[in-house]
């Protein structure tokens, strides 16, 4: 049976650390891109081009990295953490030194016996303090493990019952979508026992570069406006990559049969003339289908053909509004 240190941390803290590392890379890339947008001149041409390419890669390859699948049955049968026992080993050793102390002839002649005994008695007090500090640290670690164990136990029971509230609790606990929100996207959930519908509100203006950077053969920087075709294709790949990533995270954390992911973007309503949130992509994703894809090599936009989806995309105009999949 898995130990508390080997398992709870694996599914709790370690999972979170891995996700935070992914989020850190995305956050740094987004920060560099925003700073780059404000720059008029670039002192280090090679670095500027490198950072631009890295950012482009990240925004259209979010689907590649995802959390490992959580085994809720294993969590359910994980042993409760064992409360630590107080140990006074340091005090015992210090007391033995005092008990074993026998004044030497020089101690008696120099009158240092009392001083040495006082020193040994003080070392006992320090040893007690050291034992207590060590125990308090163990106790804090135990309480943290116990709280985590209780929380995961509660979630494992809810998962077994297909509780939609537990689904939400799991998402809040592991926070698997922070990386996506770093790029300016907001996510809303609608939970059912066998599936989850997700709305992701995107902001293409801030996410997709409007320019391209290249280094010429002479080492100079070439910066030019990105063509509409390239801009829209990059945006399409980004949105489709996000859809795949969201579904992968849901399947890694929750035992649902499928997801329906709707990407929304601000578009001008032809009747009112006002900007309104419109669905630009609606996809029903099955876990068995996404598992068959070679995520390292697929084109995110082309991969939508593997799923039931509504998408109307034009190379020179981008996404058009579509209906949600019911």
């Amino acid at each position: 049976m898995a130990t508390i240190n080997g398992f709870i941390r694996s599914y709790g803290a370690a999972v979170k650390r891995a996700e935070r590392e992914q989020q850190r890379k995305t956050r740094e890339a987004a920060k560099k891109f925003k700073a780059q947008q404000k720059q008029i001149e670039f002192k280090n041409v090679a670095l500027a081009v490198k950072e631009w390419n890295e950012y482009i890669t990240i925004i259209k390859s979010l689907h590649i990295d995802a959390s490992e699948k959580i085994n809720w049955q294993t969590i359910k049968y994980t042993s409760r953490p064992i409360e630590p026992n107080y140990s006074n080993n340091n005090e015992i050793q210090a007391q033995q030194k005092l008990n074993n102390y026998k004044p030497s002839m020089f101690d008696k002649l120099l009158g240092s016996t009392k001083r040495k005994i006082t020193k040994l008695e003080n070392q006992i007090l320090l040893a007690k303090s050291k034992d207590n500090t060590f125990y308090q640290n163990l106790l804090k670690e135990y309480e943290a493990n116990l709280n985590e164990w209780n929380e995961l136990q509660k979630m494992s029971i809810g998962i077994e019952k297909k509780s939609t509230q537990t689904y939400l609790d799991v998402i809040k606990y592991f926070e698997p979508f922070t990386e996506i929100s770093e790029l300016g996207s907001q996510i809303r959930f609608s939970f059912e026992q066998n599936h989850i519908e997700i709305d992701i509100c995107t902001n293409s203006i801030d996410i997709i570069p409007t320019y391209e950077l290249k280094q010429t053969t002479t080492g100079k920087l070439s910066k030019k406006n990105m063509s509409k075709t390239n801009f829209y294709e990059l945006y399409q790949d980004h949105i489709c990559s996000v859809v795949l990533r969201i579904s992968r995270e849901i399947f890694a954390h929750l035992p649902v049969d499928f997801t329906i992911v709707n990407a929304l973007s601000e578009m001008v309503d032809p009747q009112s003339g006002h900007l309104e949130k419109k669905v630009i992509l609606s996809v029903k994703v099955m876990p068995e289908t996404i598992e068959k894809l070679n995520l390292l090599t697929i084109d995110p936009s082309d991969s939508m053909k593997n799923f039931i989806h509504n998408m109307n995309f034009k190379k020179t105009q981008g996404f058009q509004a579509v209906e949600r999949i019911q």
Side-chain angles (χ1 to χ4, degrees):
M1 184 170 289
T3 64
I4 183 66
N5 289 337
F7 184 76
I8 293 298
R9 289 179 180 174
S10 174
Y11 277 88
V15 171
K16 287 183 176 180
R17 279 197 298 271
E19 289 172 351
R20 281 197 297 268
E21 178 62 19
Q22 294 172 4
Q23 294 157 13
R24 182 188 64 78
K25 291 179 181 178
T26 304
R27 183 166 54 250
E28 288 180 357
K31 185 178 180 181
K32 288 177 182 178
F33 169 66
K34 289 178 181 178
Q36 193 178 82
Q37 284 181 305
K38 299 176 183 178
Q39 287 182 265
I40 298 174
E41 295 183 3
F42 298 88
K43 294 180 180 179
N44 190 326
V45 173
L47 180 61
V49 173
K50 177 175 177 288
E51 290 177 351
W52 185 88
N53 284 321
E54 286 177 349
Y55 180 74
I56 295 296
T57 300
I58 283 176
I59 62 176
K60 62 180 183 179
S61 63
L62 291 167
H63 60 280
I64 294 176
D65 292 320
S67 306
E68 292 185 14
K69 190 174 181 63
I70 295 176
N71 190 324
W72 289 104
Q73 276 295 307
T74 306
I75 286 179
K76 181 181 176 182
Y77 294 109
T78 302
S79 300
R80 178 189 177 93
I82 299 173
E83 185 172 357
N85 294 317
Y86 182 85
S87 171
N88 61 341
N89 285 339
N90 291 305
E91 181 189 354
I92 291 171
Q93 291 175 14
Q95 184 66 54
Q96 286 177 344
K97 287 182 180 179
L98 176 60
N99 295 341
N100 296 332
Y101 170 68
K102 293 180 180 179
S104 66
M105 183 184 298
F106 288 106
D107 289 339
K108 293 175 181 178
L109 289 173
L110 298 174
S112 59
T113 301
K114 186 176 180 181
R115 179 172 55 82
K116 287 192 174 182
I117 289 174
T118 301
K119 183 179 179 180
L120 289 169
E121 288 174 343
N122 288 335
Q123 286 178 346
I124 292 174
L125 295 175
L126 290 173
K128 285 183 178 180
S129 178
K130 188 175 180 180
D131 285 333
N132 185 62
T133 299
F134 182 71
Y135 174 69
Q136 291 301 321
N137 289 335
L138 286 179
L139 202 58
K140 285 181 181 178
E141 184 178 5
Y142 161 74
E143 289 171 351
N145 284 335
L146 181 61
N147 289 334
E148 193 166 18
W149 182 84
N150 283 327
E151 196 164 359
L152 288 169
Q153 284 295 304
K154 182 180 177 182
M155 285 190 281
S156 69
I157 293 170
I159 289 291
E160 194 171 55
K161 295 179 179 178
K162 291 189 173 291
S163 162
T164 55
Q165 178 58 50
T166 300
Y167 289 173
L168 178 60
D169 293 340
V170 170
I171 297 302
K172 287 181 177 180
Y173 180 81
F174 287 101
E175 299 180 317
F177 303 115
T178 306
E179 184 178 3
I180 294 169
S181 64
E182 292 288 352
L183 295 172
S185 300
Q186 297 178 335
I187 304 177
R188 295 194 297 264
F189 303 93
S190 177
F191 297 94
E192 300 292 340
Q193 285 191 330
N194 70 325
H195 75 278
I196 297 174
E197 186 164 355
I198 305 114
D199 282 0
I200 173 167
C201 302
T202 65
N203 190 342
S204 62
I205 296 175
D206 293 332
I207 295 173
I208 307 302
T210 56
Y211 60 91
E212 294 177 317
L213 293 184
K214 292 181 180 179
Q215 187 173 14
T216 66
T217 53
T218 58
K220 293 182 179 180
L221 182 70
S222 170
K223 182 179 180 181
K224 63 178 182 179
N225 292 333
M226 185 178 291
S227 68
K228 281 188 175 181
T229 301
N230 288 347
F231 178 89
Y232 288 134
E233 286 183 351
L234 181 56
Y235 184 43
Q236 184 189 27
D237 278 340
H238 170 67
I239 295 299
C240 294
S241 180
V242 168
V243 166
L244 293 172
R245 172 62 177 274
I246 288 174
S247 295
R248 290 191 69 199
E249 293 293 354
I250 290 295
F251 298 142
H253 291 83
L254 304 172
V256 292
D257 297 334
F258 63 92
T259 64
I260 294 178
V261 186
N262 305 301
L264 289 81
S265 182
E266 284 192 339
M267 304 180 75
V268 177
D269 185 273
Q271 295 182 352
S272 66
H274 297 143
L275 282 174
E276 293 184 7
K277 290 287 185 183
K278 299 284 187 181
V279 176
I280 56 174
L281 174 63
S282 185
V283 189
K284 180 180 180 180
V285 182
M286 312 294 287
E288 56 269 24
T289 303
I290 205 169
E291 286 173 4
K292 293 177 182 177
L293 300 179
N294 187 336
L295 296 168
L296 289 172
T297 60
I298 62 168
D299 179 283
S301 302
D302 291 342
S303 73
M304 293 297 105
K305 297 174 183 177
N306 295 285
F307 311 101
I308 298 172
H309 72 284
N310 290 336
M311 178 170 64
N312 183 4
F313 179 83
K314 299 180 180 179
K315 287 187 176 181
T316 57
Q317 298 178 33
F319 286 106
Q320 310 298 304
V322 296
E323 295 295 323
R324 293 171 178 265
I325 288 178
Q326 301 299 319

